[in-house]
């Protein structure tokens, strides 16, 4: 495995000394990568948290749904699945937020370190300064080279003209040729001096660049160690999320064997019917015929029977009351009507001397009312039984 410093020393040279700019730009890109990685994971954590909250609201909604009937076991599996999904995504968002916090701290650290490196690191600062001089010297070399080439061209033309000149022009052309030689010599000297200066600066740059490559390599190695560790942790979280989701889905379909829970595929129609019967069964014996409970005359309550249509109202007196009537002396007069009795709608019967009223027009429900009043002619109390026949017709039976 090649270390970053060794790789940088071997592969970042070339024309125009572009290696330094490439390494410096790469270091700045490392800081940018940390910032963007932090931003992406922060948004991912927010999305996961929002999704978890949505699942939690959905879970609360499923809890309020009335789940009855044979579908109840599957409904419980669905609610358990949604609850598990919500918890898985909430835990994942919490872990991502923790990772984002670590990346955010490193981002600040890397930003400050890059700024100090560019401004304060001796090797990097010196290399940058030398590189600027080298590039200026290179420009000067190019300029001197063009001047040198131009003077050389002029000198060659001057020699050709002297060789073709007549005696009359020879002296003038020789003087011009001498000037061209002097200009060419000056241009050659200037060009040679610029090349020597450039070579000296280039050698100094090369020495400083070796040290800068080592330093850039160290910084890059540290950066990659940190950022790759963050990426590895993120990958593990994604893998864990996928495994948890897969396990949750498997539990929904096949059940959780560790907890003894069935999944959806475990609840066949036959199983659902069996569970419903076991939970809601009401009994295994059919209801038989009912037997009538017979009562004797002795046990029967003393309640007048309902008049049938066209039946004599004196039949309201039960056999027991008839025996009482025979044993009690007839009263001389009917008792007064109790308060609240409608006028013209009451008929009275006194046990022992019963007067027969006219036949009622239609049968109607009877209502038994009893009242006890004091008689003005006797110290003992009289008992009156009031029977309502129809809507407006009353019958009073007095017992003395």
């Amino acid at each position: 495995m090649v270390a970053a410093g060794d790789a940088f020393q071997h592969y970042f040279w070339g024309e125009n000394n572009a290696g330094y700019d490439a390494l410096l730009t790469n270091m700045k890109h490392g800081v940018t990568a940390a910032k963007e990685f932090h931003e992406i994971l922060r948004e991912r954590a927010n999305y996961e948290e929002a999704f978890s909250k949505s699942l939690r609201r959905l879970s609360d909604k499923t809890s309020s749904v009335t789940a009855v009937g044979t579908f109840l076991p599957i409904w419980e599996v669905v609610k358990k699945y949604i609850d598990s999904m919500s918890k898985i995504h909430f835990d994942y968002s919490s872990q991502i937020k923790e990772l984002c916090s670590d990346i955010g701290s490193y981002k600040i650290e890397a930003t400050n370190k890059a700024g100090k490196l560019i401004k304060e690191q001796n090797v990097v600062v010196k290399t940058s300064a030398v590189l600027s001089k080298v590039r200026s010297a290179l420009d000067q070399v190019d300029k001197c080279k063009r001047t040198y080439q131009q003077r050389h061209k002029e000198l060659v033309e001057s020699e050709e003209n002297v060789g073709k000149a007549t005696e009359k022009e020879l002296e003038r052309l020789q003087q011009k040729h001498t000037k061209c030689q002097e200009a060419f010599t000056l241009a050659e000297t200037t060009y040679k001096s610029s090349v020597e200066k450039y070579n000296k600066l280039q050698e100094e740059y090369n020495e400083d660049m070796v040290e800068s490559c080592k330093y850039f390599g160290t910084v890059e190695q540290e950066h990659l160690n940190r950022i790759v560790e963050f990426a590895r942790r993120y990958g593990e979280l994604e893998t864990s999320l996928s495994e948890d989701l897969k396990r949750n889905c498997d539990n929904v379909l096949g059940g959780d064997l560790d907890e003894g829970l069935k999944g959806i595929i475990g609840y066949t129609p036959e199983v659902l019917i069996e569970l419903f019967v076991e939970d809601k069964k009401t009994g295994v014996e059919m209801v038989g015929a009912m037997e009538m409970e017979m009562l004797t005359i002795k046990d029967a309550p003393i309640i007048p029977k309902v008049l049938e249509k066209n039946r004599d109202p004196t039949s309201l007196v039960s056999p027991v009351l008839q025996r009482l009537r025979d044993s009690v002396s007839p009263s001389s007069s009917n008792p007064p009507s109790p308060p609240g009795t409608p006028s013209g709608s009451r008929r009275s019967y006194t046990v022992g001397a019963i007067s027969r009223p006219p036949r009622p027009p239609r049968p109607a429900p009877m209502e038994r009312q009893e009242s006890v009043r004091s008689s003005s002619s006797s110290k003992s109390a009289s008992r009156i039984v009031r029977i309502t026949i129809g809507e407006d017709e009353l019958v009073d039976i007095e017992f003395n």
Side-chain angles (χ1 to χ4, degrees):
M1 181 179 295
V2 180
D6 296 336
F8 291 172
Q9 293 181 54
H10 286 84
Y11 298 102
F12 285 89
W13 301 102
E15 295 181 0
N16 298 324
N17 300 307
Y20 176 83
D21 293 334
L23 294 178
L24 183 61
T25 302
N26 178 69
M27 184 188 67
K28 295 178 180 179
H29 286 171
V31 177
T32 303
K35 293 180 179 179
E36 294 178 347
F37 191 34
H38 173 264
E39 183 67 21
I40 291 297
L41 293 187
R42 187 175 63 84
E43 291 186 10
R44 177 62 189 279
N46 292 337
Y47 294 151
E48 289 293 333
E49 183 178 9
F51 183 53
S52 174
K53 291 181 179 179
S54 299
L55 289 175
R56 181 60 57 84
R57 289 193 294 269
L58 181 60
S59 175
D60 294 340
K61 185 176 181 181
T62 57
S63 299
S64 63
V65 172
T66 303
V68 294
T70 55
F71 189 70
L72 176 60
I74 294 182
W75 189 246
E76 291 177 348
V77 173
V78 173
K79 290 195 293 184
K80 177 176 174 54
Y81 170 71
I82 296 176
D83 290 339
S84 299
M85 284 281 289
S86 175
K87 184 178 185 305
I88 289 172
H89 285 281
F90 181 78
D91 292 342
Y92 175 76
S93 66
S94 299
Q95 292 170 345
I96 290 293
K97 286 182 178 180
E98 182 179 353
L99 176 59
C100 285
S101 177
D102 295 341
I103 297 177
S105 300
Y106 171 71
K107 176 190 67 175
I108 298 174
E109 176 186 342
T111 302
N112 295 335
K113 187 174 183 178
K116 291 181 179 180
L117 186 147
I118 296 172
K119 297 178 181 179
E120 301 177 3
Q121 182 59 36
N122 293 333
V123 175
V124 176
V125 172
K126 183 180 179 181
T127 304
S128 178
V130 173
L131 179 60
S132 298
K133 294 178 180 179
V134 168
R135 288 173 175 170
S136 298
L138 182 61
D139 293 338
Q140 186 66 29
V141 168
D142 291 337
K143 182 179 179 181
C144 293
K145 182 178 180 180
R146 289 193 298 270
T147 303
Y148 171 72
Q149 291 172 346
Q150 181 65 27
R151 298 293 180 266
H152 178 266
K153 182 179 179 180
E154 292 174 356
L155 179 61
V156 171
E157 291 177 354
S158 177
E159 288 180 351
E160 291 177 354
N161 292 334
V162 169
K164 298 177 182 179
T166 60
E167 292 181 359
K168 184 177 180 180
E169 298 175 340
L170 182 60
E171 184 178 358
R172 182 177 62 81
L173 292 176
Q174 285 179 345
Q175 292 177 355
K176 184 177 180 180
H177 179 65
T178 301
K179 292 180 179 180
C180 288
Q181 285 180 333
E182 292 175 354
F184 174 75
T185 302
L186 179 60
E188 183 179 22
T189 303
T190 304
Y191 176 47
K192 182 179 180 180
S193 176
S194 64
V195 170
E196 290 176 352
K197 181 180 180 180
Y198 168 79
N199 290 336
K200 183 178 179 180
L201 291 173
Q202 183 64 47
E203 183 179 359
E204 183 179 358
Y205 167 78
N206 292 342
E207 293 176 356
D208 294 340
M209 183 58 181
V210 170
E211 299 300 323
S212 294
C213 286
K214 293 179 180 179
Y215 189 80
F216 279 127
T218 301
V219 173
E220 188 65 20
Q221 192 70 48
E222 293 177 354
H223 165 71
L224 290 178
N225 290 340
R226 297 288 298 277
I227 202 70
V228 168
E229 175 64 19
F230 294 142
R232 184 190 62 78
R233 288 172 56 185
Y234 170 69
E236 290 177 352
L237 291 177
E238 290 288 358
T239 302
S240 177
L241 174 64
S242 300
E243 292 176 352
D244 291 342
L245 293 177
K246 184 179 183 303
R247 187 182 305 109
N248 193 36
C249 293
D250 292 341
N251 292 342
V252 170
L253 291 177
D256 191 346
L257 300 179
D258 295 335
E259 298 184 8
L261 300 177
K262 288 184 178 180
I264 292 178
I265 61 177
Y267 288 111
T268 61
E270 293 77 10
V271 172
L272 291 175
I273 292 175
E274 180 181 352
L275 292 174
F276 174 75
V277 170
E278 183 66 24
D279 183 49
K280 300 296 183 180
K281 61 185 178 181
T282 58
V284 295
E285 296 182 0
M286 295 183 181
V287 179
M290 181 184 293
E291 295 183 0
M292 182 176 178
E293 298 180 2
M294 299 298 295
L295 299 176
T296 62
I297 298 296
K298 184 186 299 184
D299 299 329
I302 307 175
I303 299 176
K305 297 182 180 179
V306 180
L307 289 174
E308 297 180 358
K309 187 175 182 180
N310 300 326
R311 187 174 177 179
D312 194 332
T314 58
S315 62
L316 291 171
V317 182
S318 67
V320 177
L321 294 178
Q322 184 64 31
R323 289 195 297 271
L324 292 174
R325 179 181 64 82
D326 295 339
S327 63
V328 177
S329 61
S331 60
S332 59
S333 62
N334 293 329
S337 302
T341 304
S343 62
S345 62
R346 181 179 61 84
R347 288 178 292 175
S348 302
Y349 297 89
T350 302
V351 176
I354 301 178
S355 60
R356 295 181 179 275
R359 182 177 297 174
R362 64 179 182 277
M366 295 184 298
E367 178 180 335
R368 178 180 174 181
Q369 299 181 359
E370 296 184 2
S371 63
V372 179
R373 62 186 178 86
S374 299
S375 175
S376 59
S377 61
S378 175
K379 295 182 179 180
S380 61
S382 299
R383 186 180 185 187
I384 298 176
V385 178
R386 175 174 295 172
I387 300 174
T388 302
I389 303 176
E391 297 180 355
D392 299 327
E393 191 169 0
L394 300 176
V395 176
D396 292 341
I397 300 176
E398 180 181 0
F399 298 89
N400 295 326

